[in-house]
Amino acid sequence: MAGYKIAILISGRGSNMAALIQACQAKDFPADVALVLSNRADAPGLAVARAANIPTHTIEQGAFESREAFDAAMTEVLAGAGVRLICLAGFMRLLSADFCHRWRDSLINIHPSLLPAFKGLHVHQRMLDAGVRIAGCTVHYVRPEMDEGPILVQAAVAIAADDTPDSLAARILEQEHRIYPLAVRLIAEGRARPAGGIVAIDNYSFPKQWLINPPLD
Ligand code: GRF
């Protein structure tokens, strides 16, 4: 057990969650998954977490009068579990400003674009519609504005002429599963320092082979 406890928040299939759980199982990884929390009892990822013996918790949104009340219930569960870092992984709910402030610099998200380009939903379709040549994914600290916040790690993915939203999403997802554990490692090791809207990382050089995936000839 590494002692640095993280929580993963999901609403759906949880493939990034599974990548984080797998990374945390490695002996030299500096974090442990203390909790998987969902806002949907039917999120398929919950079964994956249970199969890995990770405690799960569901907070159904229907039971709460306001976003703030729902988020306060989440904070109670997360703080009660001794969590130091919260990883949003396909958590399909906007978070209140209160929640973002309570967990400032202890709350990160993964997004399937090279932020700050293509915030929001349906990004794969929108990237193809815009004709961009290079896509990618980003792990960033969360601020109250959607898909805003200091960038921790990114990977780039080349777009192919025959890409569909699904084929592009699949290639980006492979990179998501690499960069999310890396971002958690950097934070858990105390090497990521957000300040002034960007993140300084101690003793780190970005693996060059990650710049374009697949690599260009
Ligand atoms: C991923 O594409 C992630 O970037 C976005 O939501 C999706 C979640 O997928 N935020 P999964 O549930 O981790 O498989």
Short mmCIF file of all heavy atoms in Angstrom, two decimals, residues 35-92:
data_model
loop_
_atom_site.label_atom_id
_atom_site.label_comp_id
_atom_site.label_asym_id
_atom_site.label_seq_id
_atom_site.Cartn_x
_atom_site.Cartn_y
_atom_site.Cartn_z
N LEU A 35 -11.35 4.54 -3.40
CA LEU A 35 -12.79 4.62 -3.61
C LEU A 35 -13.10 4.92 -5.08
O LEU A 35 -12.42 5.73 -5.70
CB LEU A 35 -13.34 5.77 -2.76
CG LEU A 35 -14.82 6.07 -2.80
CD1 LEU A 35 -15.60 4.92 -2.16
CD2 LEU A 35 -15.11 7.38 -2.06
N VAL A 36 -14.12 4.25 -5.59
CA VAL A 36 -14.71 4.64 -6.88
C VAL A 36 -16.11 5.14 -6.58
O VAL A 36 -16.92 4.43 -5.95
CB VAL A 36 -14.73 3.49 -7.89
CG1 VAL A 36 -15.58 3.85 -9.11
CG2 VAL A 36 -13.30 3.15 -8.33
N LEU A 37 -16.39 6.36 -6.99
CA LEU A 37 -17.67 7.00 -6.68
C LEU A 37 -18.40 7.27 -7.99
O LEU A 37 -17.79 7.73 -8.95
CB LEU A 37 -17.38 8.31 -5.94
CG LEU A 37 -18.51 9.19 -5.46
CD1 LEU A 37 -19.42 8.43 -4.50
CD2 LEU A 37 -17.93 10.41 -4.75
N SER A 38 -19.70 6.97 -8.00
CA SER A 38 -20.48 7.20 -9.22
C SER A 38 -21.75 7.97 -8.89
O SER A 38 -22.29 7.87 -7.78
CB SER A 38 -20.85 5.87 -9.87
OG SER A 38 -21.64 6.09 -11.02
N ASN A 39 -22.23 8.73 -9.86
CA ASN A 39 -23.54 9.37 -9.72
C ASN A 39 -24.63 8.52 -10.36
O ASN A 39 -25.77 8.93 -10.42
CB ASN A 39 -23.53 10.77 -10.35
CG ASN A 39 -23.26 10.73 -11.84
OD1 ASN A 39 -22.53 9.86 -12.31
ND2 ASN A 39 -23.84 11.65 -12.58
N ARG A 40 -24.25 7.34 -10.85
CA ARG A 40 -25.23 6.45 -11.49
C ARG A 40 -25.00 5.03 -11.01
O ARG A 40 -23.93 4.46 -11.21
CB ARG A 40 -25.07 6.50 -13.01
CG ARG A 40 -25.26 7.88 -13.61
CD ARG A 40 -25.18 7.76 -15.11
NE ARG A 40 -26.14 6.75 -15.55
CZ ARG A 40 -27.03 6.94 -16.49
NH1 ARG A 40 -27.10 8.08 -17.13
NH2 ARG A 40 -27.87 5.97 -16.83
N ALA A 41 -26.05 4.45 -10.43
CA ALA A 41 -25.93 3.08 -9.92
C ALA A 41 -25.70 2.09 -11.05
O ALA A 41 -25.16 1.00 -10.82
CB ALA A 41 -27.20 2.71 -9.14
N ASP A 42 -26.10 2.47 -12.27
CA ASP A 42 -25.96 1.53 -13.40
C ASP A 42 -24.67 1.76 -14.21
O ASP A 42 -24.53 1.24 -15.31
CB ASP A 42 -27.19 1.61 -14.31
CG ASP A 42 -27.38 3.00 -14.90
OD1 ASP A 42 -26.61 3.93 -14.52
OD2 ASP A 42 -28.28 3.18 -15.73
N ALA A 43 -23.75 2.56 -13.69
CA ALA A 43 -22.49 2.77 -14.43
C ALA A 43 -21.75 1.44 -14.55
O ALA A 43 -21.42 0.82 -13.54
CB ALA A 43 -21.62 3.79 -13.70
N PRO A 44 -21.48 0.99 -15.78
CA PRO A 44 -20.80 -0.31 -15.96
C PRO A 44 -19.45 -0.39 -15.25
O PRO A 44 -19.04 -1.47 -14.82
CB PRO A 44 -20.62 -0.41 -17.49
CG PRO A 44 -21.65 0.50 -18.07
CD PRO A 44 -21.84 1.61 -17.08
N GLY A 45 -18.77 0.73 -15.09
CA GLY A 45 -17.47 0.72 -14.44
C GLY A 45 -17.51 0.26 -12.99
O GLY A 45 -16.51 -0.22 -12.45
N LEU A 46 -18.67 0.39 -12.34
CA LEU A 46 -18.76 -0.01 -10.92
C LEU A 46 -18.45 -1.50 -10.75
O LEU A 46 -17.77 -1.91 -9.80
CB LEU A 46 -20.14 0.32 -10.36
CG LEU A 46 -20.41 1.81 -10.11
CD1 LEU A 46 -21.89 2.02 -9.76
CD2 LEU A 46 -19.50 2.33 -9.00
N ALA A 47 -18.94 -2.31 -11.67
CA ALA A 47 -18.70 -3.76 -11.58
C ALA A 47 -17.21 -4.06 -11.77
O ALA A 47 -16.66 -4.97 -11.12
CB ALA A 47 -19.54 -4.50 -12.62
N VAL A 48 -16.58 -3.29 -12.65
CA VAL A 48 -15.14 -3.49 -12.90
C VAL A 48 -14.36 -3.16 -11.62
O VAL A 48 -13.44 -3.89 -11.23
CB VAL A 48 -14.67 -2.57 -14.06
CG1 VAL A 48 -13.17 -2.72 -14.31
CG2 VAL A 48 -15.46 -2.87 -15.33
N ALA A 49 -14.76 -2.07 -10.95
CA ALA A 49 -14.08 -1.69 -9.70
C ALA A 49 -14.29 -2.76 -8.62
O ALA A 49 -13.33 -3.16 -7.94
CB ALA A 49 -14.61 -0.34 -9.22
N ARG A 50 -15.53 -3.23 -8.50
CA ARG A 50 -15.80 -4.26 -7.47
C ARG A 50 -15.00 -5.52 -7.75
O ARG A 50 -14.48 -6.14 -6.81
CB ARG A 50 -17.30 -4.59 -7.46
CG ARG A 50 -18.13 -3.49 -6.81
CD ARG A 50 -19.57 -3.94 -6.57
NE ARG A 50 -20.41 -2.76 -6.51
CZ ARG A 50 -21.28 -2.39 -7.45
NH1 ARG A 50 -21.47 -3.14 -8.54
NH2 ARG A 50 -21.98 -1.29 -7.31
N ALA A 51 -14.89 -5.88 -9.00
CA ALA A 51 -14.12 -7.09 -9.35
C ALA A 51 -12.65 -6.93 -8.95
O ALA A 51 -11.96 -7.92 -8.72
CB ALA A 51 -14.24 -7.38 -10.85
N ALA A 52 -12.19 -5.69 -8.87
CA ALA A 52 -10.79 -5.44 -8.47
C ALA A 52 -10.71 -5.17 -6.96
O ALA A 52 -9.67 -4.70 -6.48
CB ALA A 52 -10.23 -4.26 -9.26
N ASN A 53 -11.80 -5.45 -6.25
CA ASN A 53 -11.84 -5.27 -4.79
C ASN A 53 -11.65 -3.82 -4.35
O ASN A 53 -11.07 -3.56 -3.29
CB ASN A 53 -10.79 -6.14 -4.10
CG ASN A 53 -11.15 -7.60 -4.21
OD1 ASN A 53 -12.33 -7.95 -4.08
ND2 ASN A 53 -10.17 -8.42 -4.51
N ILE A 54 -12.12 -2.89 -5.17
CA ILE A 54 -12.07 -1.47 -4.80
C ILE A 54 -13.43 -1.10 -4.20
O ILE A 54 -14.47 -1.40 -4.79
CB ILE A 54 -11.82 -0.59 -6.05
CG1 ILE A 54 -10.58 -1.05 -6.83
CG2 ILE A 54 -11.74 0.88 -5.65
CD1 ILE A 54 -9.27 -0.79 -6.18
N PRO A 55 -13.45 -0.42 -3.05
CA PRO A 55 -14.74 0.03 -2.50
C PRO A 55 -15.44 0.98 -3.47
O PRO A 55 -14.80 1.85 -4.07
CB PRO A 55 -14.32 0.78 -1.22
CG PRO A 55 -12.97 0.27 -0.87
CD PRO A 55 -12.32 -0.10 -2.18
N THR A 56 -16.74 0.79 -3.63
CA THR A 56 -17.51 1.68 -4.51
C THR A 56 -18.63 2.35 -3.73
O THR A 56 -19.07 1.83 -2.70
CB THR A 56 -18.14 0.90 -5.69
OG1 THR A 56 -19.06 -0.05 -5.17
CG2 THR A 56 -17.08 0.23 -6.53
N HIS A 57 -19.06 3.48 -4.25
CA HIS A 57 -20.14 4.21 -3.59
C HIS A 57 -20.93 4.93 -4.69
O HIS A 57 -20.34 5.49 -5.61
CB HIS A 57 -19.53 5.23 -2.62
CG HIS A 57 -20.52 5.80 -1.66
ND1 HIS A 57 -20.65 5.36 -0.37
CD2 HIS A 57 -21.45 6.77 -1.82
CE1 HIS A 57 -21.60 6.04 0.24
NE2 HIS A 57 -22.11 6.90 -0.61
N THR A 58 -22.26 4.90 -4.57
CA THR A 58 -23.09 5.64 -5.53
C THR A 58 -23.88 6.70 -4.79
O THR A 58 -24.46 6.43 -3.74
CB THR A 58 -24.07 4.69 -6.25
OG1 THR A 58 -23.32 3.69 -6.95
CG2 THR A 58 -24.93 5.46 -7.25
N ILE A 59 -23.88 7.90 -5.35
CA ILE A 59 -24.74 8.97 -4.83
C ILE A 59 -25.66 9.38 -5.97
O ILE A 59 -25.20 9.96 -6.95
CB ILE A 59 -23.92 10.18 -4.33
CG1 ILE A 59 -22.91 9.73 -3.26
CG2 ILE A 59 -24.85 11.24 -3.75
CD1 ILE A 59 -22.05 10.86 -2.70
N GLU A 60 -26.91 8.99 -5.88
CA GLU A 60 -27.86 9.27 -6.97
C GLU A 60 -28.29 10.73 -6.90
O GLU A 60 -28.69 11.23 -5.85
CB GLU A 60 -29.09 8.36 -6.84
CG GLU A 60 -28.79 6.89 -7.06
CD GLU A 60 -28.95 6.48 -8.53
OE1 GLU A 60 -29.03 7.37 -9.41
OE2 GLU A 60 -29.00 5.26 -8.77
N GLN A 61 -28.22 11.40 -8.04
CA GLN A 61 -28.49 12.83 -8.02
C GLN A 61 -29.93 13.18 -7.71
O GLN A 61 -30.22 14.24 -7.15
CB GLN A 61 -28.05 13.48 -9.33
CG GLN A 61 -28.45 12.72 -10.58
CD GLN A 61 -27.42 12.93 -11.69
OE1 GLN A 61 -26.23 12.74 -11.49
NE2 GLN A 61 -27.89 13.33 -12.85
N GLY A 62 -30.86 12.27 -8.03
CA GLY A 62 -32.28 12.55 -7.82
C GLY A 62 -32.62 12.87 -6.37
O GLY A 62 -33.61 13.55 -6.07
N ALA A 63 -31.80 12.39 -5.44
CA ALA A 63 -32.12 12.55 -4.02
C ALA A 63 -31.77 13.93 -3.49
O ALA A 63 -32.05 14.23 -2.33
CB ALA A 63 -31.36 11.49 -3.23
N PHE A 64 -31.20 14.80 -4.33
CA PHE A 64 -30.72 16.09 -3.82
C PHE A 64 -31.42 17.26 -4.49
O PHE A 64 -31.73 17.22 -5.67
CB PHE A 64 -29.21 16.20 -4.03
CG PHE A 64 -28.45 15.18 -3.23
CD1 PHE A 64 -28.21 13.92 -3.75
CD2 PHE A 64 -28.02 15.48 -1.95
CE1 PHE A 64 -27.54 12.97 -3.01
CE2 PHE A 64 -27.34 14.53 -1.20
CZ PHE A 64 -27.11 13.27 -1.73
N GLU A 65 -31.63 18.31 -3.69
CA GLU A 65 -32.36 19.48 -4.19
C GLU A 65 -31.51 20.37 -5.08
O GLU A 65 -32.02 21.05 -5.96
CB GLU A 65 -32.84 20.33 -3.01
CG GLU A 65 -34.16 19.87 -2.47
CD GLU A 65 -34.63 20.74 -1.32
OE1 GLU A 65 -33.98 21.77 -1.05
OE2 GLU A 65 -35.64 20.35 -0.72
N SER A 66 -30.23 20.39 -4.84
CA SER A 66 -29.37 21.32 -5.60
C SER A 66 -28.04 20.65 -5.91
O SER A 66 -27.66 19.65 -5.30
CB SER A 66 -29.11 22.58 -4.77
OG SER A 66 -28.34 22.24 -3.63
N ARG A 67 -27.35 21.26 -6.87
CA ARG A 67 -26.00 20.79 -7.21
C ARG A 67 -25.09 20.88 -5.99
O ARG A 67 -24.29 19.99 -5.72
CB ARG A 67 -25.46 21.67 -8.35
CG ARG A 67 -24.13 21.21 -8.90
CD ARG A 67 -23.73 22.02 -10.12
NE ARG A 67 -24.71 21.99 -11.20
CZ ARG A 67 -24.91 20.97 -12.02
NH1 ARG A 67 -24.18 19.88 -11.90
NH2 ARG A 67 -25.81 21.03 -12.97
N GLU A 68 -25.24 21.97 -5.23
CA GLU A 68 -24.37 22.18 -4.06
C GLU A 68 -24.60 21.07 -3.03
O GLU A 68 -23.64 20.58 -2.42
CB GLU A 68 -24.63 23.55 -3.42
CG GLU A 68 -24.05 24.72 -4.19
CD GLU A 68 -24.76 25.02 -5.52
OE1 GLU A 68 -25.93 24.58 -5.70
OE2 GLU A 68 -24.14 25.66 -6.39
N ALA A 69 -25.87 20.69 -2.82
CA ALA A 69 -26.17 19.64 -1.83
C ALA A 69 -25.59 18.30 -2.28
O ALA A 69 -25.03 17.55 -1.47
CB ALA A 69 -27.69 19.54 -1.64
N PHE A 70 -25.72 18.02 -3.56
CA PHE A 70 -25.14 16.77 -4.09
C PHE A 70 -23.63 16.77 -3.90
O PHE A 70 -23.03 15.79 -3.42
CB PHE A 70 -25.49 16.64 -5.58
CG PHE A 70 -24.90 15.43 -6.25
CD1 PHE A 70 -25.56 14.22 -6.26
CD2 PHE A 70 -23.64 15.51 -6.86
CE1 PHE A 70 -24.99 13.11 -6.86
CE2 PHE A 70 -23.07 14.40 -7.45
CZ PHE A 70 -23.75 13.19 -7.46
N ASP A 71 -23.00 17.88 -4.27
CA ASP A 71 -21.54 17.96 -4.18
C ASP A 71 -21.06 17.89 -2.73
O ASP A 71 -20.00 17.32 -2.44
CB ASP A 71 -21.03 19.24 -4.85
CG ASP A 71 -21.16 19.18 -6.37
OD1 ASP A 71 -21.63 18.15 -6.88
OD2 ASP A 71 -20.79 20.18 -7.03
N ALA A 72 -21.85 18.47 -1.81
CA ALA A 72 -21.49 18.39 -0.39
C ALA A 72 -21.53 16.94 0.09
O ALA A 72 -20.67 16.51 0.88
CB ALA A 72 -22.42 19.27 0.44
N ALA A 73 -22.50 16.18 -0.42
CA ALA A 73 -22.57 14.75 -0.05
C ALA A 73 -21.35 14.01 -0.59
O ALA A 73 -20.79 13.13 0.09
CB ALA A 73 -23.86 14.15 -0.60
N MET A 74 -20.92 14.38 -1.78
CA MET A 74 -19.71 13.74 -2.32
C MET A 74 -18.50 14.09 -1.46
O MET A 74 -17.67 13.22 -1.16
CB MET A 74 -19.45 14.20 -3.76
CG MET A 74 -20.39 13.60 -4.77
SD MET A 74 -19.68 13.55 -6.43
CE MET A 74 -19.41 15.28 -6.75
N THR A 75 -18.38 15.35 -1.10
CA THR A 75 -17.24 15.77 -0.29
C THR A 75 -17.19 15.00 1.03
O THR A 75 -16.12 14.58 1.48
CB THR A 75 -17.29 17.29 -0.02
OG1 THR A 75 -16.92 17.97 -1.22
CG2 THR A 75 -16.33 17.71 1.08
N GLU A 76 -18.37 14.79 1.63
CA GLU A 76 -18.40 14.05 2.90
C GLU A 76 -17.83 12.64 2.71
O GLU A 76 -17.01 12.18 3.51
CB GLU A 76 -19.84 13.98 3.39
CG GLU A 76 -19.96 13.71 4.86
CD GLU A 76 -21.42 13.74 5.30
OE1 GLU A 76 -22.16 14.66 4.87
OE2 GLU A 76 -21.81 12.84 6.06
N VAL A 77 -18.26 11.97 1.65
CA VAL A 77 -17.78 10.61 1.40
C VAL A 77 -16.28 10.61 1.08
O VAL A 77 -15.52 9.77 1.60
CB VAL A 77 -18.58 9.98 0.23
CG1 VAL A 77 -17.97 8.65 -0.20
CG2 VAL A 77 -20.04 9.80 0.63
N LEU A 78 -15.86 11.56 0.26
CA LEU A 78 -14.45 11.59 -0.18
C LEU A 78 -13.52 11.94 0.99
O LEU A 78 -12.48 11.30 1.17
CB LEU A 78 -14.29 12.62 -1.31
CG LEU A 78 -15.00 12.23 -2.62
CD1 LEU A 78 -15.20 13.45 -3.51
CD2 LEU A 78 -14.20 11.16 -3.35
N ALA A 79 -13.92 12.94 1.77
CA ALA A 79 -13.09 13.32 2.91
C ALA A 79 -13.07 12.19 3.94
O ALA A 79 -12.04 11.89 4.53
CB ALA A 79 -13.60 14.62 3.52
N GLY A 80 -14.24 11.55 4.12
CA GLY A 80 -14.33 10.43 5.07
C GLY A 80 -13.41 9.28 4.70
O GLY A 80 -12.93 8.56 5.57
N ALA A 81 -13.17 9.12 3.41
CA ALA A 81 -12.29 8.03 2.94
C ALA A 81 -10.82 8.45 2.98
O ALA A 81 -9.94 7.66 2.62
CB ALA A 81 -12.69 7.61 1.53
N GLY A 82 -10.55 9.69 3.39
CA GLY A 82 -9.15 10.13 3.48
C GLY A 82 -8.48 10.36 2.14
O GLY A 82 -7.26 10.25 2.01
N VAL A 83 -9.31 10.72 1.15
CA VAL A 83 -8.80 10.88 -0.20
C VAL A 83 -7.99 12.17 -0.34
O VAL A 83 -8.38 13.22 0.16
CB VAL A 83 -10.01 10.90 -1.18
CG1 VAL A 83 -9.63 11.46 -2.53
CG2 VAL A 83 -10.60 9.50 -1.29
N ARG A 84 -6.85 12.10 -1.03
CA ARG A 84 -6.02 13.29 -1.26
C ARG A 84 -6.11 13.80 -2.69
O ARG A 84 -5.77 14.95 -2.95
CB ARG A 84 -4.57 12.97 -0.92
CG ARG A 84 -4.43 12.72 0.59
CD ARG A 84 -3.05 12.32 0.98
NE ARG A 84 -2.07 13.35 0.70
CZ ARG A 84 -0.76 13.16 0.83
NH1 ARG A 84 -0.31 12.00 1.25
NH2 ARG A 84 0.08 14.12 0.55
N LEU A 85 -6.54 12.94 -3.59
CA LEU A 85 -6.65 13.36 -4.99
C LEU A 85 -7.91 12.72 -5.59
O LEU A 85 -8.15 11.52 -5.39
CB LEU A 85 -5.42 12.91 -5.78
CG LEU A 85 -5.41 13.22 -7.28
CD1 LEU A 85 -5.29 14.73 -7.52
CD2 LEU A 85 -4.26 12.48 -7.98
N ILE A 86 -8.68 13.53 -6.31
CA ILE A 86 -9.89 13.05 -6.96
C ILE A 86 -9.65 13.07 -8.47
O ILE A 86 -9.28 14.11 -9.03
CB ILE A 86 -11.10 13.95 -6.63
CG1 ILE A 86 -11.35 13.98 -5.13
CG2 ILE A 86 -12.34 13.47 -7.39
CD1 ILE A 86 -12.32 15.09 -4.72
N CYS A 87 -9.88 11.93 -9.12
CA CYS A 87 -9.69 11.83 -10.57
C CYS A 87 -11.04 11.68 -11.23
O CYS A 87 -11.73 10.66 -11.03
CB CYS A 87 -8.84 10.60 -10.89
SG CYS A 87 -7.25 10.57 -10.04
N LEU A 88 -11.44 12.67 -12.01
CA LEU A 88 -12.67 12.56 -12.79
C LEU A 88 -12.36 11.70 -14.01
O LEU A 88 -11.39 11.97 -14.72
CB LEU A 88 -13.17 13.93 -13.23
CG LEU A 88 -13.38 14.98 -12.14
CD1 LEU A 88 -13.85 16.30 -12.76
CD2 LEU A 88 -14.41 14.49 -11.12
N ALA A 89 -13.16 10.69 -14.24
CA ALA A 89 -12.90 9.79 -15.37
C ALA A 89 -14.24 9.47 -16.05
O ALA A 89 -14.88 8.47 -15.75
CB ALA A 89 -12.21 8.51 -14.88
N GLY A 90 -14.65 10.40 -16.92
CA GLY A 90 -15.96 10.24 -17.55
C GLY A 90 -17.08 10.49 -16.56
O GLY A 90 -18.10 9.80 -16.59
N PHE A 91 -16.88 11.46 -15.68
CA PHE A 91 -17.92 11.83 -14.71
C PHE A 91 -18.77 12.91 -15.36
O PHE A 91 -18.31 14.05 -15.54
CB PHE A 91 -17.26 12.33 -13.42
CG PHE A 91 -18.23 12.55 -12.29
CD1 PHE A 91 -18.93 11.48 -11.73
CD2 PHE A 91 -18.45 13.83 -11.78
CE1 PHE A 91 -19.83 11.68 -10.69
CE2 PHE A 91 -19.34 14.03 -10.73
CZ PHE A 91 -20.03 12.95 -10.18
N MET A 92 -19.98 12.53 -15.77
CA MET A 92 -20.77 13.39 -16.66
C MET A 92 -21.69 14.32 -15.86
O MET A 92 -22.91 14.25 -15.97
CB MET A 92 -21.58 12.52 -17.63
CG MET A 92 -20.73 11.61 -18.49
SD MET A 92 -19.49 12.52 -19.44
CE MET A 92 -20.55 13.24 -20.68
#
